[in-house]
Amino acid sequence: MAIALEIKDLHKSFKTGFIPKRKKILEGISLKVEEGEIFGYLGPNGAGKTTTIKCVLGLIFPDKGEIEILGHDYLSLQAKQRIGFLPENPYFYDYLTASEFLRFYAQLFSLDKKEIGKKITDLLSLVGLNQSKDIQLRKFSRGMLQRIGFAQALINDPSLVLLDEPLGGLDPLGRKEIRDIIVRLRDNGKTVFLSSHILQDIEMICDRVAIIVQGEVINQGKLQDLISEKILFTEIILSGIEKKDIEGLGECLAGDGGRILLKVFDEKKVNDVLKLVQEHKGKIHSLIPRTETLEDLFVGMVTQQ
Amino acid sequence: MKIRAVANNTFKEAIRDRILYLLLFFAAVCIGFSRVLSLLTVGDENKIIKDVGLASISLFGALMAILIGTGLVYKEIDKKTIYTLISKPIHRYQFLLGKFLGLIFTLFIMLLLMSIIFLALLFLHTYTIEWAMLVAIFFIFLELCLITAVAIFFSCFSSPILSSIFSVAFYLIGHLSWGFETLLQKMKPGVGKILVQILYTVLPDLENFNFKTEVVHHLLIPSKVLVYSSFYGIFYTLFVLILSMLVFRKRDFI
């Protein structure tokens, strides 16, 4: 697999305060993003996610380290020609209409005039803003700005798309739509690098992840390698059985309407519970084996640090 | 092409801003008011209309240049629109140059509108179109170019309010620094005189662009002076622009 983005030993610090004091933000970030994958970059607030992305885009200059985008130096125009970027909480020119705005960005890529018109129509329908193409951006809602932001990131048909918290601040429906677009991008052979702290979303769509805490990557790899498949416990909701009969089998929590929520930690005991319920002519409402989630892994790692 | 795209966008953004029209409205009121003033004056009425009209154009033009010049670059950084822009295949200097040209074009349109109002008012009074006024207006335009470059330079590294104050200071100093010339003639040789000489050389002299008196009184302006003033404006503007690009080149957008 070719490498879409490679970061080696990236350091960045900022001077803060009246009497300038150096504050280290990134302390040796190294990671590799392969072509054609969705790469999740996660970390708590203030870990350095956005700083990393800004370094990659040449918005800020690292103190030390190397960045290569699709085999080009990251500051070269060749690299920038092939990337798309959606910032966190995007905000664009107030007084431009949606299609004027996209036209402006298309011109920066020196696209053909005829091509630009078609591209804009396609992108606006992709993000569902066809009806609003002649509305000034200052009248756009938060969700609409996110969508038009997405459209501008794709204007040059980029090979690598960098998304900074693309799902933040959207309603559940909007989040699903954006998730679908991201997956479709990967299916079309594009590489997606997305930062987020919403773990469910990352878990749902990412192929590989890197976890960053306090400016350092503490773990990276395929999602299934990081999270063990081992069943942590089984959650069973049952009814028609006395609480005292099953107390020895697991942690017993009484629920509403005579239903009991039972947490069984030993896999072998699950069968015993099922048998017992059958004997008592009770009823099983649900049975969910819980494996480790990204959240468990994440919380574990962050607290360890 | 890329510079033109940025310039185009800047122009669209600036020309739709209401503050510009507010200033244009007051400029028109001021130019119109010169007619009232001329009625109150004993003597040459035309002279008052020309004097007050040209002064209004110069003052409101400078205000427009400072307000939109300091606002637009800072707004890009503050509202973070620059994040998506700089991540596109465009050099930082192209961005800055595009901004500058867009603003200059906006100011040109505003100056054109103010000039039309002014010349129309003058025409109603004298029944001739006084083309000589355009010489003074051309140099006002050169001055506005320089002020815009200065406003952009300051907004590359400070907030709009500070940049506006700095730019207004530049404007005031520029119009008062000729006083040093008079002072130099009266000073005795020594350290003081050298210091004043240095100050006079370093500080801008915006009076170089002021041909209002000559035009109003139909005085002959030597072509040497016109050429000198034009070059002064062009080179000073280029110098400030290059300085801005150097500051902008290595700036972190946090």
Side-chain angles (χ1 to χ4, degrees), chain B residues 93 96 153 156 239-251:
Chain B
Y93 77 86
L96 218 54
F153 169 70
C156 280
F239 170 72
V240 178
L241 274 180
I242 290 168
L243 215 58
S244 315
M245 286 171 195
L246 289 177
V247 172
F248 209 61
R249 203 167 60 107
K250 280 285 158 199
R251 190 192 153 140

Side-chain angles (χ1 to χ4, degrees), chain A residues 12 54 57-61 77 80-81 87 91-93 95-96 100 104-105 107-109 152, chain B residues 2 5-6 9 13 16 76 79 81 83-89 91-92 249-254:
Chain A
K12 178 71 190 171
K54 280 186 188 169
L57 294 167
L59 291 170
I60 55 178
F61 298 96
L77 292 192
K80 289 188 172 176
Q81 192 78 33
Y91 183 94
F92 302 110
Y93 304 95
Y95 293 96
L96 293 188
E100 276 175 341
F104 167 43
Y105 275 14
Q107 282 166 351
L108 296 178
F109 285 99
Q152 65 78 27
Chain B
K2 286 171 188 171
V6 177
N9 174 54
E13 179 89 354
R16 290 175 193 177
E76 292 259 0
K79 304 267 187 194
T81 44
Y83 288 6
T84 45
L85 204 58
I86 296 292
S87 64
K88 304 274 181 275
H91 291 293
R92 288 185 177 194
R249 203 167 60 107
K250 280 285 158 199
R251 190 192 153 140
D252 277 347
F253 298 112
I254 303 164

Side-chain angles (χ1 to χ4, degrees), chain A residues 54-82:
Chain A
K54 280 186 188 169
C55 283
V56 172
L57 294 167
L59 291 170
I60 55 178
F61 298 96
D63 301 338
K64 206 177 114 185
E66 284 171 41
I67 303 170
E68 212 170 81
I69 298 172
L70 300 153
H72 298 287
D73 177 59
Y74 74 113
L75 288 175
S76 68
L77 292 192
Q78 288 104 309
K80 289 188 172 176
Q81 192 78 33
R82 292 178 64 193

Side-chain angles (χ1 to χ4, degrees), chain A residues 189-246:
Chain A
K190 311 218 178 298
T191 314
V192 182
F193 180 94
L194 69 95
S195 85
S196 184
H197 56 246
I198 305 174
L199 299 161
Q200 289 91 334
D201 292 320
I202 290 224
E203 200 164 13
M204 238 180 266
I205 56 176
C206 288
D207 302 306
R208 288 199 314 134
V209 297
I211 298 176
I212 167 178
V213 180
Q214 287 172 357
E216 276 178 278
V217 173
I218 52 171
N219 209 337
Q220 64 174 315
K222 283 205 166 121
L223 207 54
Q224 56 263 43
D225 294 343
L226 291 181
I227 303 167
S228 66
E229 297 275 309
K230 202 181 129 241
I231 293 168
L232 295 174
F233 58 85
T234 310
E235 264 181 14
I236 307 172
I237 299 176
L238 44 86
S239 64
I241 194 162
E242 288 294 315
K243 209 172 164 184
K244 61 179 183 339
D245 295 334
I246 50 167

